[in-house]
Amino acid sequence: MLYHSFMEGKKMKKNRLLISGVFLSLILFVSCASKNTSAYTTGIENDVHVCKNLRPVYITNSKKVYLLSPEHFDYPVDTIQKIEGTYGNKSFSMLAYIQSDFNGISVSLFNIFGVDMGNLSFSKEKASFTSSMFDGKLLPEYIICDIQNAIYDSKALYANYKSAGLNFEVWNGSGFNPTASVNETRLIRDGENLIEEITNKDDIITIKNYLRGYSYILTVAEGF
């Protein structure tokens, strides 16, 4: 179970966390091309480091954050996830092999037949996304930001969003809990406005971005 792996990782600090980030937030209305950008890190507060040479991510139309340095990953991730997403009246489904540790993030996208659909990589030095399946542009920073929101250290995320005038909240079994038996809820707010909600319930991760109007459901892929 995804939840079981998550909670064991919280207790033992060494177990793998079978949870993936939601990272295709723009794929339904923009396309992707190869990007490769050099980066460096610099502190913002309380030993939190961000990648200042990478493009910032606009969480709202006016407020932006920089990606956290890979050292702020919460627990190791090494898993295949099935991703089902919707944006308006559009939908998609695909698989993603996701790895994340203190060196960075690596994602391989493929369809249910195993055909390669793209590759994403992120480290202190660069962020890149390549795919022969799509035309146009999709910045890797926006994909990585959703991954970080779901699996990176909550204290580092809180400090990073606070520096941008935004709020990052984590609830575990109490407080804001819109879905019965939710194990963890992560929220991004701009004042009173809820921007994004990430919930973990048993074997299902659900992402809802209320500002951009997209949602995702992630489950551990079986048979791989």
Side-chain angles (χ1 to χ4, degrees):
M1 296 290 285
L2 181 60
Y3 168 62
H4 175 74
S5 299
F6 179 78
M7 297 306 295
E8 287 300 310
K10 287 289 187 181
K11 295 177 181 179
M12 302 302 294
K13 302 293 186 177
K14 293 182 180 180
N15 290 349
R16 288 180 174 179
L17 173 62
L18 293 180
I19 173 177
S20 69
V22 176
F23 54 87
L24 295 173
S25 59
L26 299 180
I27 200 168
L28 296 169
F29 56 98
V30 293
S31 307
C32 50
S34 176
K35 297 289 178 182
N36 195 336
T37 310
S38 57
Y40 70 98
T41 59
T42 182
I44 52 176
E45 64 172 86
N46 299 328
D47 296 323
V48 174
H49 294 78
V50 295
C51 300
K52 277 284 190 176
N53 254 18
L54 289 175
R55 284 171 288 252
V57 175
Y58 280 86
I59 304 302
T60 71
N61 293 335
S62 60
K63 295 182 178 180
K64 61 187 180 182
V65 297
Y66 288 94
L67 295 176
L68 291 171
S69 170
E71 68 201 73
H72 295 299
F73 84 102
D74 202 350
Y75 300 102
V77 173
D78 189 342
T79 182
I80 296 177
Q81 294 283 327
K82 181 180 180 181
I83 305 173
E84 298 174 284
T86 61
Y87 180 81
N89 60 359
K90 299 179 180 179
S91 63
F92 73 90
S93 177
M94 66 178 65
L95 298 173
Y97 176 43
I98 304 172
Q99 295 176 296
S100 177
D101 57 25
F102 61 84
N103 291 313
I105 296 170
S106 174
V107 179
S108 297
L109 300 174
F110 50 99
N111 65 21
I112 59 174
F113 301 106
V115 176
D116 176 53
M117 297 183 66
N119 294 278
L120 170 76
S121 65
F122 165 65
S123 68
K124 288 185 177 181
E125 290 73 34
K126 64 183 179 180
S128 65
F129 184 66
T130 57
S131 176
S132 60
M133 301 296 294
F134 305 98
D135 297 320
K137 296 179 180 179
L138 175 60
L139 302 181
E141 289 86 353
Y142 282 80
I143 304 174
I144 296 162
C145 185
D146 270 341
I147 297 177
Q148 293 192 349
N149 289 339
I151 67 175
Y152 267 39
D153 178 69
S154 59
K155 292 182 179 179
L157 286 163
Y158 171 83
N160 197 23
Y161 278 102
K162 180 181 178 182
S163 71
L166 297 164
N167 297 320
F168 184 86
E169 306 171 14
V170 178
W171 300 91
N172 294 282
S174 63
F176 185 88
N177 195 5
T179 305
S181 302
V182 166
N183 308 124
E184 180 184 75
T185 301
R186 292 185 170 196
L187 305 173
I188 300 171
R189 296 183 189 271
D190 182 14
E192 296 298 320
N193 297 320
L194 180 58
I195 304 299
E196 185 165 287
E197 174 187 352
I198 304 170
T199 59
N200 170 17
K201 182 181 179 182
D202 299 328
D203 204 27
I204 301 174
I205 298 297
T206 301
I207 305 295
K208 295 181 180 180
N209 189 299
Y210 297 99
L211 180 64
R212 309 300 182 191
Y214 64 83
S215 64
Y216 301 88
I217 299 176
L218 299 95
T219 58
V220 176
E222 302 291 344
F224 290 89

